[in-house]
Amino acid sequence: MKANRWFIDSETGDLADVLLCPPEYYQWIPSNDIAIQTMAQGGAVDRAALNIQFAELVSTLREADVSCHFLKPQEGMPYQVYTRDSSQTTPFGTVVTRLSRPERVGEETEIRSFYGADEIWKTCTKGNIEGGDIHIIRPGLLAVGVSGGRTDEAGAAEFISWFEEAGWTCRMIRFPEHFLHLDVIFTMVAENLAIAAVDCIADEDLDWFRAQGIRLLPVSYKEAMRDMGCNVLALGRERVVSPHHSTRINQMLRAEGLTVLDPELNQFSRGGGSVHCMTMPLRRKSLQSV
């Protein structure tokens, strides 16, 4: 059997390769509550700042020894920059997800072109499921967010079934559609350590995370929604990329002994996404080999 080029079995293993998309056609559109509020307050994209911030993110990743790969931006796809959603790397191969919003459905063509048929393991065919809701926490443990919007129960159940067949422990985490994706209110920052908007997640789900040995650092609703404060990217080896404007959260992460790399990303967060949304890890060192 041909070995897959891309592989991850956790959210926190040492990151080697990542998929991004330049923001050539990026726009804020009223497709999520964060962008709607930004636009209602008279906000407008500063394209010069946008391009500088994307370049700073790429530079930050490369300086951390991460190889950056890029989709070709397509006209008319304003949120293609959020590469987290349109595919999902797994220990078994790449999964093509099933995007919910009509302006994003066309992203699948470029995703298939990037990976090629040999690398694609599964294609989601039921309901909707987006990568921002998929958290491959560690080998054998998977959480999938279900809001009924970007990811619904049918889409989550199909994805989870493939992991359950491999013997993984899996759980659906349900939350209001207002929050878009699970990575707006929960993200791993290091092995067995996460940041979470604890007041926005059901108590039984918080208890489940803790029962898996995951310690939760609290983030407020305002930090999660205004700043996209939970939307960070673990690089492995106690390093994390977090937006510069998330000052309290970054202080909290540093107090835990983590190295925080903090590029400016407010042009993206004000549209409803940040560094976790903008990055699909393609290859991480397996936690089973640590």
Side-chain angles (χ1 to χ4, degrees), residues 50 69 72 166 203 224 236 259:
L50 180 83
H69 307 260
K72 182 179 179 181
D203 289 344
T259 298

Side-chain angles (χ1 to χ4, degrees), residues 89-104:
T89 313
T90 80
F92 319 112
T94 295
V95 174
V96 177
T97 58
R98 201 159 192 234
L99 296 165
S100 169
R101 293 285 306 181
E103 68 273 4
R104 300 203 66 185

Side-chain angles (χ1 to χ4, degrees), residues 128-150:
N128 296 302
I129 184 165
E130 300 186 351
D133 282 314
I134 298 168
H135 288 246
I136 298 175
I137 294 173
R138 62 172 181 257
L141 187 63
L142 171 73
V144 178
V146 177
S147 68
R150 306 306 175 101

Side-chain angles (χ1 to χ4, degrees), residues 83 118 120 174 202 257:
T83 57
D118 290 345
I120 294 172
R174 292 178 172 83

Side-chain angles (χ1 to χ4, degrees), residues 6-167:
W6 307 126
F7 171 97
I8 70 164
D9 63 8
S10 77
E11 280 275 314
T12 58
D14 192 5
L15 182 62
D17 293 84
V18 71
L19 180 63
L20 305 107
C21 182
E24 185 173 346
Y25 300 108
Y26 178 76
Q27 294 287 343
W28 297 337
I29 61 172
S31 63
N32 65 76
D33 286 350
I34 300 166
I36 288 169
Q37 185 170 353
T38 296
M39 295 168 72
Q41 294 170 347
V45 174
D46 181 334
R47 301 214 69 83
L50 180 83
N51 291 324
I52 290 170
Q53 290 180 11
F54 184 78
E56 184 181 0
L57 173 60
V58 171
S59 177
T60 297
L61 291 166
R62 286 175 170 161
E63 288 173 7
D65 297 323
V66 178
S67 294
C68 296
H69 307 260
F70 300 94
L71 295 176
K72 182 179 179 181
Q74 303 294 318
E75 191 171 2
M77 297 185 189
Y79 278 177
Q80 190 185 9
V81 68
Y82 298 132
T83 57
R84 176 70 57 163
D85 297 326
S86 48
S87 66
Q88 178 64 56
T89 313
T90 80
F92 319 112
T94 295
V95 174
V96 177
T97 58
R98 201 159 192 234
L99 296 165
S100 169
R101 293 285 306 181
E103 68 273 4
R104 300 203 66 185
V105 170
E107 294 177 27
E108 181 177 337
T109 300
E110 179 61 19
I111 283 293
R112 291 189 179 278
S113 176
F114 173 80
Y115 288 109
D118 290 345
E119 188 63 31
I120 294 172
W121 174 55
K122 299 278 190 183
T123 296
C124 297
T125 61
K126 297 179 180 178
N128 296 302
I129 184 165
E130 300 186 351
D133 282 314
I134 298 168
H135 288 246
I136 298 175
I137 294 173
R138 62 172 181 257
L141 187 63
L142 171 73
V144 178
V146 177
S147 68
R150 306 306 175 101
T151 296
D152 57 27
E153 188 156 345
E158 180 184 42
F159 189 89
I160 283 173
S161 70
W162 301 326
F163 284 74
E164 289 181 333
E165 288 170 4

Side-chain angles (χ1 to χ4, degrees), residues 246-280:
S246 295
T247 51
R248 189 201 67 84
I249 293 172
N250 294 342
Q251 290 172 354
M252 178 174 65
L253 295 174
R254 291 183 175 114
E256 292 288 331
L258 301 181
T259 298
V260 178
L261 311 176
D262 57 351
E264 294 278 3
L265 290 169
N266 69 336
Q267 292 298 306
F268 298 96
S269 63
R270 295 176 72 202
S274 192
V275 61
H276 195 268
C277 296
M278 295 168 68
T279 52
M280 171 47 64

